Each structure stands twice: as C-alpha cells, then as structure tokens.
Amino acid sequence: MRTARVLAGAVLTIAVAGLPCAPAFAGDFEKLEIEPSAATSGATVTVSTLACGKQGVGTGDASAVGGPSAFQLKPETHKELVIGQFKIPDVAKAGTYGIGVKCKNGKEATGDVVVGTGGSGKPSAAPSMPGKAVSPPKGPVKTGAGGTSEGSGTSEIIAGAAVLATAAVGGTLFLRRRSGGGRA
C-alpha cells in the first residue's frame, strides 16, 4: 500500500512539473507563401497567408533578413487572403531566412525566403571568390566526437557494471525489507 502511494505521488509530481514545459509543435504554424521565394538584396518580397481568416489582418516580421521588424498584412481581393510586402536590405547576406506573421486572431504563419547574390534573382550555390575555383568538400566531417567508451579499459567497464549491479541489488533488498513486515 505504501509503495503504491509513493509511486502515485511521484507520477503526480512529474506530471505537474512537466505541464508548463509543453513543447511547441511545428503543426502550430500555418503556411506563409513568399513570392519570389528566391530573391536578391534590394528586391521587394510579397508574402500572403490564409491564417488570418476572413477580413483578417496581421503583422509580419522580416528582421531575420535585416528587413523591417514589422510590416502589415491586409486583406486583398480574395477576402480570406492577407498580403504584405517588405524590401530585402541592400546589405543582406546570402542565405535562407525565416519570415513570420502573427495574425490578429492569434494564429501564426511562417515561411522561408532565400537571399542570393547577383542580379539574376536566384540564389547562387556558393559564394563566389574572384580567382578561386570552388571545389566540393572531401573526406569525413570532423566533429570531434568519439565513442563514449574510447580509452576505457576492461577494468573500468567491469567496475562500472559492478556499481550498477550493487545499486540494483541494494534497492531490491531495501524495498523487500520494507514491504515484507507481515510475512512469515
């Protein structure tokens, strides 16, 4: 009986402690259409979404690319679609940037814009350096991570296993002595 109460208390404690830490899922965000999806610095980008609903409004955030931290989205001819625009700054570096929109109804939408270099409107595969040919990487990735048992000898592994086994036996004996008080 006592063990059941202890386990129930532990489960409730874990449940209460875990509730404020609920994860945010990617499914919580609607899709943000970005046109053009690949642009160069100085280009004007148009974003649109259905997340804001009929006659909805929203505020966009393009600060990741160095653009405005707030731009407005308003309903257009298609009443459920809200549209807004922002300009990619001339100093924006090539890369992929996340753009977000928060609607007045509480929903959010996200999308990515790819900023490239050059005047073609499309991103380049790699930054160009005059006079140097770009070659693909060769060899394995050097992450610096090795195996966890690297450098551990047999004696360390046996000692660790013995400590774990002793803890398991000790815990079992402790629980049996506490719960077996009335048996013969």
Side-chain angles (χ1 to χ4, degrees):
M1 182 69 168
R2 180 169 165 77
T3 305
R5 280 188 283 177
V6 170
L7 287 175
V11 168
L12 287 173
T13 302
I14 291 170
V16 169
L19 286 178
C21 304
F25 295 105
D28 294 346
F29 297 101
E30 302 277 335
K31 184 175 183 182
L32 183 66
E33 297 288 337
I34 299 178
E35 195 61 40
S37 61
T40 58
S41 42
T44 300
V45 176
T46 303
V47 299
S48 61
T49 185
L50 295 170
C52 297
K54 238 178 201 178
Q55 297 297 324
V57 293
T59 304
D61 181 5
S63 59
V65 73
S69 60
F71 61 92
Q72 297 303 310
L73 284 88
K74 297 177 182 164
E76 285 295 317
T77 53
H78 188 267
K79 302 295 181 200
E80 294 178 2
L81 187 70
V82 292
I83 297 178
Q85 290 185 326
F86 68 92
K87 183 179 177 188
I88 297 176
D90 294 331
V91 295
K93 295 183 179 181
T96 302
Y97 298 93
I99 307 299
V101 169
K102 183 156 178 93
C103 299
K104 193 173 183 180
N105 65 5
K107 291 188 178 180
E108 296 183 33
T110 60
D112 290 333
V113 64
V114 179
V115 177
T117 57
S120 66
K122 294 194 174 165
S124 62
S128 60
M129 295 174 61
K132 291 197 172 195
V134 177
S135 63
K138 295 178 184 163
V141 177
K142 294 180 170 81
T143 61
T148 56
S149 64
E150 217 170 274
S152 297
T154 307
S155 60
E156 286 94 357
I157 294 173
I158 291 173
V163 168
L164 288 174
T166 304
V169 169
T172 303
L173 289 174
F174 176 75
L175 289 176
R176 286 189 59 125
R177 289 184 86 204
R178 292 197 53 119
S179 66
R183 288 192 239 173

